[in-house]
Amino acid sequence: MSSTAIDTHGHGHHGEHAHGPLAWIMRWITTTNHKEIGTLYMMFSLLMLFVGGGMAMVIRAELFQPGLQFVNPVFFNQMTTVHALVMVFAMIMPAFAGFANWLIPLMIGAPDMALPRLNNWSFWLLPFAVSLLVISFFLPGGAPAGGWTMYPPLVLQTGDAFPFLVFAVHLLGVSSILAAINIIVTIMNLRAPGMSLLKMPMFVWTWLITAYLLVLAMPVLAGGVTMLLTDRFFGTSFFEAAGGGDPVLFQHVFWFFGHPEVYIIILPAFGIVSEIIPTFARKPLFGYAAMVYATASIAFLSLVVWAHHMFTVGMPLAGQLFFMLSTMLIAIPTGVKIFNWTATLWKGSLTFETPMLYALAFLFLFTLGGFSGLMLAIVPADIQYHDTYFVVAHFHYVLVPGALFGAFAGAYYWLPKMTGHMYDEKLGKLHFWLTAIFTNVTFFPQHFLGLAGMPRRIPDYSTQFTDFNMLSSLGAFGLGLSQLLFVYVIIKCMRGGPKATPQVWEGARGLEWTVPSPAPHHTFDEPPVIK
C-alpha cells in the first residue's frame, strides 16, 4: 500500500517509465507527494534519535562515576550542546512534521498539502542543517560548547564552529517556518466542504496552533543568533558589556523563542493522544470544544512566560511576580486537557494495545513533569533549583514521556495505515515496557540529584552523588538499547505481516484511524435538542 499506488493526482508517478536505482533516488529527492515527504521526515527523525541518543550515551557514560573517565570537559559540553540541538530541531520536530504531512490532508479531505514544492524544500533543508552541526566537530576547537541556549559570552568562545552553529540554526528555523506556513495554508484553504474549524480532528487543531507558534517564535531565534554573529564578526555589541551591550538581553531574546518552542514540541503530542484515547476507550473525546480552547490558551500563555527561565538574573520583584503567576496560569488549560482525557477514559470500554499504553504513560508521566514545572515556577524555590539536575529531570519528564511517547504512540497507531500491514503487537508492548521502565530509571533519580544540589552541565561531581548517577546512567543505556527494538518492529512491519483492514482499531461507531474528534450530539458540548 505504497503512497504512489494510491496517489491520484500525479505527484507520485515518476516510477512508471523510469527504472534503476538512480530513478528511484531521484523520485525520493524530488517527490512532492505528502505521504512520501511525511515518510522522509519520519525516517530522518528516527536516524536523528540515534545520533542524539548516542551523544546522550557519551554524557551518561562520563557521569557513571566521579572523576574524568572518557572525555575532556570541553568535549563533554560539546556533547550536551549538540545533543540538545539535534533532539529538539532534528529529531522531535521532524517526527511531528512527518505525522502532519501524512495525516492532515487525509483528516481534512485535501488532495495533498497546499504547497507541495515548498513541502519538499522544507524537508531537504534539514539534512544540510544537521550536517553543518556535525561538521563542526572536525573544525579547529571542535563543536560549539556554549549549551543549546547559546548564551554569550560563552558561545562566542567556541572557535571556528560558531558560524556553523548560527547557520545551522538559521536553516533549521527556515525549514520549520516553511513547514508551518504550508500547514496553515493547507488547513485554512483545503478543508472538505462542510468541515468547519470546530469539526476538525483534534490532531489538526493542535498542528494549526503549533504552526502559528512556529511562525511567531522562530524568527525571534533567528534575530538573536544573527545579533550574536554580528557581535562576533562585525564589531557590534548587542550582548558585549564592554561596548554597552547586555548579555541578559540575549537570554530574553532566546527564551522568548525557547518557551513557545517547548509547546511547539508538546502540542502535536497532545493532538496524537487526543486521537488515540477516544479510539481505545471506544468513546468520543470528552469536551472537544474545551480541548480546542485549552490548546489555544496554552499557546497564547506560552508567549508571555519566557522569563521564568531567568529568575536568577536579578530581575525586579514585579517581573518575578508577573512571570511566576503567569507560569502557574498555564497549569489551568493544561489541567483541563488532562481532566478531559481522563474523563474520556472514564467508563470507556478500554483495551490496551501499544498505542494506548503509550498514551496512558504519556498522561501519567507528563503530569508528573508538569508538577515539577510548577515547583520551578515558584521564584524562591527556583532560585534553589536553577541550573541543577532538578531542571534536567523536569524538562526530560516533559519531553521524553511527553513528546517522545506521543510520537511513539502515533507511530504504532498509524503504522498500519502507513504500511498496509499490522506490526507485531507482542514486540510493540515489549518496546513500550522497556522504554517506560528505563525512562523512569534514567530521569527520576535526577530529581534527587538536583534537590541535593548537583549542578547541570558538569562532567565531574562530588562523591555523594555517585549512586543516583550510576542508576541514571544504567537507565540511559537500557533506554538507548530498547530503541533498537522499535527499529526492528518497523522494519518487520514494512516487510509484511497480517494485512491491515480499514477497521484496524475496531471501536465504537467503527472508529477509523482518521476518526473525527468532535463528539456526536449526545455529549455535554451542546444543549440537547428537544423535539
Side-chain angles (χ1 to χ4, degrees), residues 163-196:
F164 280 73
L165 169 70
V166 172
F167 196 40
V169 168
H170 270 301
L171 284 182
L172 292 161
V174 170
S175 165
S176 298
I177 292 167
L178 295 181
I181 291 170
N182 200 357
I183 286 165
I184 293 169
V185 175
T186 304
I187 295 172
M188 288 308 195
N189 293 341
L190 295 186
R191 297 195 305 282
M195 179 173 277
S196 64

PDB file of all heavy atoms in Angstrom, residues 163-196:
ATOM      1  N   PRO A 163      30.190  30.130  13.538  1.00  0.00           N
ATOM      2  CA  PRO A 163      29.328  30.478  12.389  1.00  0.00           C
ATOM      3  C   PRO A 163      28.552  29.268  11.853  1.00  0.00           C
ATOM      4  O   PRO A 163      27.429  29.418  11.364  1.00  0.00           O
ATOM      5  CB  PRO A 163      30.306  31.019  11.340  1.00  0.00           C
ATOM      6  CG  PRO A 163      31.660  30.633  11.803  1.00  0.00           C
ATOM      7  CD  PRO A 163      31.598  30.462  13.294  1.00  0.00           C
ATOM      8  N   PHE A 164      29.139  28.068  11.969  1.00  0.00           N
ATOM      9  CA  PHE A 164      28.428  26.866  11.533  1.00  0.00           C
ATOM     10  C   PHE A 164      27.175  26.657  12.384  1.00  0.00           C
ATOM     11  O   PHE A 164      26.110  26.311  11.880  1.00  0.00           O
ATOM     12  CB  PHE A 164      29.338  25.638  11.635  1.00  0.00           C
ATOM     13  CG  PHE A 164      30.294  25.502  10.488  1.00  0.00           C
ATOM     14  CD1 PHE A 164      31.390  26.342  10.363  1.00  0.00           C
ATOM     15  CD2 PHE A 164      30.086  24.533   9.519  1.00  0.00           C
ATOM     16  CE1 PHE A 164      32.256  26.228   9.293  1.00  0.00           C
ATOM     17  CE2 PHE A 164      30.955  24.400   8.443  1.00  0.00           C
ATOM     18  CZ  PHE A 164      32.043  25.252   8.331  1.00  0.00           C
ATOM     19  N   LEU A 165      27.335  26.877  13.703  1.00  0.00           N
ATOM     20  CA  LEU A 165      26.193  26.758  14.612  1.00  0.00           C
ATOM     21  C   LEU A 165      25.095  27.732  14.202  1.00  0.00           C
ATOM     22  O   LEU A 165      23.921  27.361  14.087  1.00  0.00           O
ATOM     23  CB  LEU A 165      26.654  27.041  16.042  1.00  0.00           C
ATOM     24  CG  LEU A 165      25.556  27.207  17.095  1.00  0.00           C
ATOM     25  CD1 LEU A 165      24.874  25.864  17.372  1.00  0.00           C
ATOM     26  CD2 LEU A 165      26.104  27.787  18.390  1.00  0.00           C
ATOM     27  N   VAL A 166      25.470  28.992  13.966  1.00  0.00           N
ATOM     28  CA  VAL A 166      24.478  30.022  13.630  1.00  0.00           C
ATOM     29  C   VAL A 166      23.779  29.673  12.315  1.00  0.00           C
ATOM     30  O   VAL A 166      22.544  29.745  12.208  1.00  0.00           O
ATOM     31  CB  VAL A 166      25.154  31.407  13.545  1.00  0.00           C
ATOM     32  CG1 VAL A 166      24.172  32.446  13.010  1.00  0.00           C
ATOM     33  CG2 VAL A 166      25.667  31.821  14.920  1.00  0.00           C
ATOM     34  N   PHE A 167      24.559  29.249  11.327  1.00  0.00           N
ATOM     35  CA  PHE A 167      23.962  28.940  10.022  1.00  0.00           C
ATOM     36  C   PHE A 167      23.047  27.712  10.118  1.00  0.00           C
ATOM     37  O   PHE A 167      21.968  27.677   9.513  1.00  0.00           O
ATOM     38  CB  PHE A 167      25.064  28.731   8.983  1.00  0.00           C
ATOM     39  CG  PHE A 167      24.568  28.788   7.567  1.00  0.00           C
ATOM     40  CD1 PHE A 167      23.614  29.726   7.177  1.00  0.00           C
ATOM     41  CD2 PHE A 167      25.052  27.908   6.610  1.00  0.00           C
ATOM     42  CE1 PHE A 167      23.151  29.780   5.869  1.00  0.00           C
ATOM     43  CE2 PHE A 167      24.593  27.959   5.304  1.00  0.00           C
ATOM     44  CZ  PHE A 167      23.642  28.891   4.931  1.00  0.00           C
ATOM     45  N   ALA A 168      23.476  26.720  10.922  1.00  0.00           N
ATOM     46  CA  ALA A 168      22.640  25.521  11.112  1.00  0.00           C
ATOM     47  C   ALA A 168      21.303  25.919  11.741  1.00  0.00           C
ATOM     48  O   ALA A 168      20.233  25.475  11.300  1.00  0.00           O
ATOM     49  CB  ALA A 168      23.360  24.501  11.985  1.00  0.00           C
ATOM     50  N   VAL A 169      21.350  26.776  12.766  1.00  0.00           N
ATOM     51  CA  VAL A 169      20.123  27.210  13.432  1.00  0.00           C
ATOM     52  C   VAL A 169      19.226  27.969  12.449  1.00  0.00           C
ATOM     53  O   VAL A 169      18.005  27.790  12.424  1.00  0.00           O
ATOM     54  CB  VAL A 169      20.459  28.066  14.673  1.00  0.00           C
ATOM     55  CG1 VAL A 169      19.217  28.768  15.201  1.00  0.00           C
ATOM     56  CG2 VAL A 169      21.072  27.195  15.765  1.00  0.00           C
ATOM     57  N   HIS A 170      19.837  28.812  11.607  1.00  0.00           N
ATOM     58  CA  HIS A 170      19.059  29.527  10.586  1.00  0.00           C
ATOM     59  C   HIS A 170      18.347  28.557   9.645  1.00  0.00           C
ATOM     60  O   HIS A 170      17.151  28.705   9.363  1.00  0.00           O
ATOM     61  CB  HIS A 170      19.962  30.451   9.766  1.00  0.00           C
ATOM     62  CG  HIS A 170      20.081  31.832  10.354  1.00  0.00           C
ATOM     63  ND1 HIS A 170      18.988  32.641  10.546  1.00  0.00           N
ATOM     64  CD2 HIS A 170      21.155  32.535  10.784  1.00  0.00           C
ATOM     65  CE1 HIS A 170      19.382  33.795  11.078  1.00  0.00           C
ATOM     66  NE2 HIS A 170      20.691  33.747  11.245  1.00  0.00           N
ATOM     67  N   LEU A 171      19.072  27.553   9.158  1.00  0.00           N
ATOM     68  CA  LEU A 171      18.464  26.603   8.219  1.00  0.00           C
ATOM     69  C   LEU A 171      17.344  25.807   8.887  1.00  0.00           C
ATOM     70  O   LEU A 171      16.283  25.591   8.294  1.00  0.00           O
ATOM     71  CB  LEU A 171      19.530  25.649   7.662  1.00  0.00           C
ATOM     72  CG  LEU A 171      20.479  26.209   6.602  1.00  0.00           C
ATOM     73  CD1 LEU A 171      21.428  25.127   6.120  1.00  0.00           C
ATOM     74  CD2 LEU A 171      19.710  26.766   5.410  1.00  0.00           C
ATOM     75  N   LEU A 172      17.595  25.373  10.135  1.00  0.00           N
ATOM     76  CA  LEU A 172      16.556  24.632  10.858  1.00  0.00           C
ATOM     77  C   LEU A 172      15.319  25.514  11.034  1.00  0.00           C
ATOM     78  O   LEU A 172      14.183  25.056  10.889  1.00  0.00           O
ATOM     79  CB  LEU A 172      17.087  24.189  12.228  1.00  0.00           C
ATOM     80  CG  LEU A 172      18.193  23.119  12.186  1.00  0.00           C
ATOM     81  CD1 LEU A 172      18.959  23.085  13.503  1.00  0.00           C
ATOM     82  CD2 LEU A 172      17.628  21.743  11.867  1.00  0.00           C
ATOM     83  N   GLY A 173      15.554  26.796  11.332  1.00  0.00           N
ATOM     84  CA  GLY A 173      14.446  27.733  11.505  1.00  0.00           C
ATOM     85  C   GLY A 173      13.675  27.948  10.216  1.00  0.00           C
ATOM     86  O   GLY A 173      12.433  27.942  10.216  1.00  0.00           O
ATOM     87  N   VAL A 174      14.393  28.120   9.103  1.00  0.00           N
ATOM     88  CA  VAL A 174      13.723  28.321   7.805  1.00  0.00           C
ATOM     89  C   VAL A 174      12.858  27.100   7.479  1.00  0.00           C
ATOM     90  O   VAL A 174      11.696  27.223   7.077  1.00  0.00           O
ATOM     91  CB  VAL A 174      14.762  28.561   6.683  1.00  0.00           C
ATOM     92  CG1 VAL A 174      14.090  28.521   5.317  1.00  0.00           C
ATOM     93  CG2 VAL A 174      15.465  29.898   6.891  1.00  0.00           C
ATOM     94  N   SER A 175      13.421  25.904   7.709  1.00  0.00           N
ATOM     95  CA  SER A 175      12.674  24.675   7.452  1.00  0.00           C
ATOM     96  C   SER A 175      11.371  24.656   8.247  1.00  0.00           C
ATOM     97  O   SER A 175      10.298  24.368   7.713  1.00  0.00           O
ATOM     98  CB  SER A 175      13.538  23.465   7.821  1.00  0.00           C
ATOM     99  OG  SER A 175      12.756  22.313   7.917  1.00  0.00           O
ATOM    100  N   SER A 176      11.469  25.008   9.547  1.00  0.00           N
ATOM    101  CA  SER A 176      10.278  24.987  10.407  1.00  0.00           C
ATOM    102  C   SER A 176       9.247  26.014   9.956  1.00  0.00           C
ATOM    103  O   SER A 176       8.039  25.730   9.948  1.00  0.00           O
ATOM    104  CB  SER A 176      10.664  25.280  11.857  1.00  0.00           C
ATOM    105  OG  SER A 176      11.526  24.284  12.336  1.00  0.00           O
ATOM    106  N   ILE A 177       9.714  27.212   9.613  1.00  0.00           N
ATOM    107  CA  ILE A 177       8.774  28.273   9.222  1.00  0.00           C
ATOM    108  C   ILE A 177       8.048  27.889   7.925  1.00  0.00           C
ATOM    109  O   ILE A 177       6.833  28.048   7.812  1.00  0.00           O
ATOM    110  CB  ILE A 177       9.512  29.616   9.064  1.00  0.00           C
ATOM    111  CG1 ILE A 177      10.007  30.104  10.432  1.00  0.00           C
ATOM    112  CG2 ILE A 177       8.599  30.676   8.443  1.00  0.00           C
ATOM    113  CD1 ILE A 177      11.004  31.249  10.361  1.00  0.00           C
ATOM    114  N   LEU A 178       8.802  27.344   6.957  1.00  0.00           N
ATOM    115  CA  LEU A 178       8.176  26.940   5.688  1.00  0.00           C
ATOM    116  C   LEU A 178       7.129  25.852   5.927  1.00  0.00           C
ATOM    117  O   LEU A 178       6.010  25.918   5.391  1.00  0.00           O
ATOM    118  CB  LEU A 178       9.233  26.439   4.704  1.00  0.00           C
ATOM    119  CG  LEU A 178      10.263  27.465   4.216  1.00  0.00           C
ATOM    120  CD1 LEU A 178      11.218  26.828   3.221  1.00  0.00           C
ATOM    121  CD2 LEU A 178       9.578  28.670   3.581  1.00  0.00           C
ATOM    122  N   ALA A 179       7.496  24.869   6.745  1.00  0.00           N
ATOM    123  CA  ALA A 179       6.549  23.786   7.038  1.00  0.00           C
ATOM    124  C   ALA A 179       5.303  24.354   7.711  1.00  0.00           C
ATOM    125  O   ALA A 179       4.173  23.958   7.402  1.00  0.00           O
ATOM    126  CB  ALA A 179       7.213  22.727   7.916  1.00  0.00           C
ATOM    127  N   ALA A 180       5.502  25.307   8.632  1.00  0.00           N
ATOM    128  CA  ALA A 180       4.376  25.883   9.370  1.00  0.00           C
ATOM    129  C   ALA A 180       3.442  26.649   8.439  1.00  0.00           C
ATOM    130  O   ALA A 180       2.212  26.517   8.517  1.00  0.00           O
ATOM    131  CB  ALA A 180       4.891  26.803  10.478  1.00  0.00           C
ATOM    132  N   ILE A 181       4.027  27.449   7.539  1.00  0.00           N
ATOM    133  CA  ILE A 181       3.208  28.208   6.577  1.00  0.00           C
ATOM    134  C   ILE A 181       2.378  27.234   5.735  1.00  0.00           C
ATOM    135  O   ILE A 181       1.174  27.415   5.525  1.00  0.00           O
ATOM    136  CB  ILE A 181       4.099  29.095   5.685  1.00  0.00           C
ATOM    137  CG1 ILE A 181       4.710  30.220   6.522  1.00  0.00           C
ATOM    138  CG2 ILE A 181       3.314  29.656   4.505  1.00  0.00           C
ATOM    139  CD1 ILE A 181       5.799  31.009   5.806  1.00  0.00           C
ATOM    140  N   ASN A 182       3.034  26.169   5.281  1.00  0.00           N
ATOM    141  CA  ASN A 182       2.362  25.171   4.452  1.00  0.00           C
ATOM    142  C   ASN A 182       1.178  24.545   5.202  1.00  0.00           C
ATOM    143  O   ASN A 182       0.088  24.362   4.647  1.00  0.00           O
ATOM    144  CB  ASN A 182       3.383  24.084   4.077  1.00  0.00           C
ATOM    145  CG  ASN A 182       2.959  23.293   2.858  1.00  0.00           C
ATOM    146  OD1 ASN A 182       1.880  23.508   2.310  1.00  0.00           O
ATOM    147  ND2 ASN A 182       3.797  22.371   2.441  1.00  0.00           N
ATOM    148  N   ILE A 183       1.398  24.238   6.485  1.00  0.00           N
ATOM    149  CA  ILE A 183       0.330  23.617   7.283  1.00  0.00           C
ATOM    150  C   ILE A 183      -0.841  24.585   7.470  1.00  0.00           C
ATOM    151  O   ILE A 183      -2.012  24.209   7.322  1.00  0.00           O
ATOM    152  CB  ILE A 183       0.914  23.129   8.631  1.00  0.00           C
ATOM    153  CG1 ILE A 183       1.749  21.867   8.388  1.00  0.00           C
ATOM    154  CG2 ILE A 183      -0.192  22.857   9.657  1.00  0.00           C
ATOM    155  CD1 ILE A 183       2.659  21.486   9.537  1.00  0.00           C
ATOM    156  N   ILE A 184      -0.523  25.840   7.783  1.00  0.00           N
ATOM    157  CA  ILE A 184      -1.594  26.833   7.975  1.00  0.00           C
ATOM    158  C   ILE A 184      -2.416  26.983   6.693  1.00  0.00           C
ATOM    159  O   ILE A 184      -3.652  26.940   6.709  1.00  0.00           O
ATOM    160  CB  ILE A 184      -1.004  28.200   8.401  1.00  0.00           C
ATOM    161  CG1 ILE A 184      -0.386  28.100   9.795  1.00  0.00           C
ATOM    162  CG2 ILE A 184      -2.091  29.282   8.380  1.00  0.00           C
ATOM    163  CD1 ILE A 184       0.455  29.313  10.193  1.00  0.00           C
ATOM    164  N   VAL A 185      -1.726  27.153   5.565  1.00  0.00           N
ATOM    165  CA  VAL A 185      -2.435  27.366   4.285  1.00  0.00           C
ATOM    166  C   VAL A 185      -3.284  26.143   3.944  1.00  0.00           C
ATOM    167  O   VAL A 185      -4.437  26.265   3.510  1.00  0.00           O
ATOM    168  CB  VAL A 185      -1.419  27.666   3.152  1.00  0.00           C
ATOM    169  CG1 VAL A 185      -2.128  27.764   1.812  1.00  0.00           C
ATOM    170  CG2 VAL A 185      -0.664  28.954   3.451  1.00  0.00           C
ATOM    171  N   THR A 186      -2.722  24.939   4.169  1.00  0.00           N
ATOM    172  CA  THR A 186      -3.466  23.714   3.872  1.00  0.00           C
ATOM    173  C   THR A 186      -4.747  23.636   4.699  1.00  0.00           C
ATOM    174  O   THR A 186      -5.835  23.395   4.167  1.00  0.00           O
ATOM    175  CB  THR A 186      -2.587  22.478   4.157  1.00  0.00           C
ATOM    176  OG1 THR A 186      -1.378  22.583   3.395  1.00  0.00           O
ATOM    177  CG2 THR A 186      -3.309  21.199   3.773  1.00  0.00           C
ATOM    178  N   ILE A 187      -4.608  23.855   6.010  1.00  0.00           N
ATOM    179  CA  ILE A 187      -5.778  23.704   6.892  1.00  0.00           C
ATOM    180  C   ILE A 187      -6.818  24.787   6.597  1.00  0.00           C
ATOM    181  O   ILE A 187      -8.024  24.532   6.591  1.00  0.00           O
ATOM    182  CB  ILE A 187      -5.341  23.739   8.374  1.00  0.00           C
ATOM    183  CG1 ILE A 187      -4.463  22.515   8.686  1.00  0.00           C
ATOM    184  CG2 ILE A 187      -6.554  23.758   9.300  1.00  0.00           C
ATOM    185  CD1 ILE A 187      -3.815  22.549  10.062  1.00  0.00           C
ATOM    186  N   MET A 188      -6.347  26.002   6.312  1.00  0.00           N
ATOM    187  CA  MET A 188      -7.295  27.092   6.092  1.00  0.00           C
ATOM    188  C   MET A 188      -8.007  26.992   4.742  1.00  0.00           C
ATOM    189  O   MET A 188      -9.173  27.370   4.626  1.00  0.00           O
ATOM    190  CB  MET A 188      -6.577  28.449   6.203  1.00  0.00           C
ATOM    191  CG  MET A 188      -6.191  28.790   7.622  1.00  0.00           C
ATOM    192  SD  MET A 188      -7.598  28.639   8.730  1.00  0.00           S
ATOM    193  CE  MET A 188      -7.015  29.483  10.158  1.00  0.00           C
ATOM    194  N   ASN A 189      -7.304  26.483   3.735  1.00  0.00           N
ATOM    195  CA  ASN A 189      -7.863  26.558   2.375  1.00  0.00           C
ATOM    196  C   ASN A 189      -8.349  25.241   1.794  1.00  0.00           C
ATOM    197  O   ASN A 189      -9.113  25.258   0.836  1.00  0.00           O
ATOM    198  CB  ASN A 189      -6.818  27.129   1.402  1.00  0.00           C
ATOM    199  CG  ASN A 189      -6.515  28.574   1.704  1.00  0.00           C
ATOM    200  OD1 ASN A 189      -7.302  29.236   2.373  1.00  0.00           O
ATOM    201  ND2 ASN A 189      -5.383  29.052   1.239  1.00  0.00           N
ATOM    202  N   LEU A 190      -7.899  24.110   2.304  1.00  0.00           N
ATOM    203  CA  LEU A 190      -8.184  22.851   1.606  1.00  0.00           C
ATOM    204  C   LEU A 190      -9.098  21.914   2.388  1.00  0.00           C
ATOM    205  O   LEU A 190      -9.138  20.723   2.112  1.00  0.00           O
ATOM    206  CB  LEU A 190      -6.875  22.122   1.253  1.00  0.00           C
ATOM    207  CG  LEU A 190      -5.951  22.822   0.252  1.00  0.00           C
ATOM    208  CD1 LEU A 190      -4.777  21.916  -0.096  1.00  0.00           C
ATOM    209  CD2 LEU A 190      -6.688  23.206  -1.024  1.00  0.00           C
ATOM    210  N   ARG A 191      -9.834  22.429   3.387  1.00  0.00           N
ATOM    211  CA  ARG A 191     -10.760  21.535   4.109  1.00  0.00           C
ATOM    212  C   ARG A 191     -11.909  21.128   3.193  1.00  0.00           C
ATOM    213  O   ARG A 191     -12.378  21.918   2.373  1.00  0.00           O
ATOM    214  CB  ARG A 191     -11.328  22.237   5.348  1.00  0.00           C
ATOM    215  CG  ARG A 191     -10.289  22.602   6.376  1.00  0.00           C
ATOM    216  CD  ARG A 191     -10.938  22.952   7.698  1.00  0.00           C
ATOM    217  NE  ARG A 191     -11.942  24.005   7.617  1.00  0.00           N
ATOM    218  CZ  ARG A 191     -11.668  25.309   7.522  1.00  0.00           C
ATOM    219  NH1 ARG A 191     -10.408  25.716   7.476  1.00  0.00           N
ATOM    220  NH2 ARG A 191     -12.636  26.197   7.470  1.00  0.00           N
ATOM    221  N   ALA A 192     -12.367  19.899   3.378  1.00  0.00           N
ATOM    222  CA  ALA A 192     -13.505  19.402   2.590  1.00  0.00           C
ATOM    223  C   ALA A 192     -14.745  20.252   2.869  1.00  0.00           C
ATOM    224  O   ALA A 192     -14.874  20.823   3.947  1.00  0.00           O
ATOM    225  CB  ALA A 192     -13.782  17.947   2.965  1.00  0.00           C
ATOM    226  N   PRO A 193     -15.665  20.347   1.909  1.00  0.00           N
ATOM    227  CA  PRO A 193     -16.893  21.122   2.138  1.00  0.00           C
ATOM    228  C   PRO A 193     -17.603  20.612   3.387  1.00  0.00           C
ATOM    229  O   PRO A 193     -17.700  19.412   3.603  1.00  0.00           O
ATOM    230  CB  PRO A 193     -17.731  20.846   0.886  1.00  0.00           C
ATOM    231  CG  PRO A 193     -16.750  20.407  -0.146  1.00  0.00           C
ATOM    232  CD  PRO A 193     -15.620  19.745   0.576  1.00  0.00           C
ATOM    233  N   GLY A 194     -18.066  21.539   4.216  1.00  0.00           N
ATOM    234  CA  GLY A 194     -18.795  21.141   5.416  1.00  0.00           C
ATOM    235  C   GLY A 194     -17.918  20.947   6.642  1.00  0.00           C
ATOM    236  O   GLY A 194     -18.427  20.838   7.748  1.00  0.00           O
ATOM    237  N   MET A 195     -16.587  20.897   6.450  1.00  0.00           N
ATOM    238  CA  MET A 195     -15.736  20.744   7.626  1.00  0.00           C
ATOM    239  C   MET A 195     -15.383  22.128   8.161  1.00  0.00           C
ATOM    240  O   MET A 195     -14.431  22.770   7.708  1.00  0.00           O
ATOM    241  CB  MET A 195     -14.457  19.957   7.312  1.00  0.00           C
ATOM    242  CG  MET A 195     -13.577  19.830   8.557  1.00  0.00           C
ATOM    243  SD  MET A 195     -12.145  18.771   8.366  1.00  0.00           S
ATOM    244  CE  MET A 195     -12.841  17.160   8.634  1.00  0.00           C
ATOM    245  N   SER A 196     -16.178  22.605   9.115  1.00  0.00           N
ATOM    246  CA  SER A 196     -15.867  23.891   9.737  1.00  0.00           C
ATOM    247  C   SER A 196     -14.692  23.679  10.695  1.00  0.00           C
ATOM    248  O   SER A 196     -14.311  22.549  10.991  1.00  0.00           O
ATOM    249  CB  SER A 196     -17.084  24.403  10.499  1.00  0.00           C
ATOM    250  OG  SER A 196     -17.367  23.524  11.558  1.00  0.00           O
TER     251      SER A 196
END
